[in-house]
Amino acid sequence: YYIEPEILENKQVIIGFEHTSNLDAVLSVALFEILEIKIHTLIKKELFQGPLKPLLEKLGGIPVDRHSKSDIVSQMVKLF
């Protein structure tokens, strides 16, 4: 799969959808690594504890509080 270089911007938002298995996430991260595209992805904040935290941060993970009174969209608006 080839993406024309002029299509890619310095900053852009690509909205995906929830995955059906953990393998979907692994394949997506691998694809973006191959295409040399830096990504950030929403991940439940509970996974950012312990030894996984540095790895998830390196992969562009953004911790999301799924139980917060503010919805995820509001959390992302504040982040952007």
Side-chain angles (χ1 to χ4, degrees), residues 53-73:
K53 183 178 180 177
L55 175 64
L56 295 176
E57 288 173 342
K58 184 176 183 334
L59 291 173
I62 300 171
V64 174
D65 184 359
R66 298 182 304 159
H67 304 292
S68 173
K69 292 185 187 276
S70 65
D71 59 296
I72 292 175
V73 173

Side-chain angles (χ1 to χ4, degrees), residues 16-34 39-44 47 56 59-61:
F17 48 88
E18 62 185 73
H19 52 88
T20 55
S21 76
N22 289 332
L23 185 57
D24 293 344
V26 172
L27 293 175
S28 297
V29 169
L31 173 65
F32 287 119
E33 281 292 320
I34 289 168
I39 64 165
H40 297 280
T41 185
L42 306 179
I43 302 172
K44 61 183 175 179
L47 292 179
L56 295 176
L59 291 173

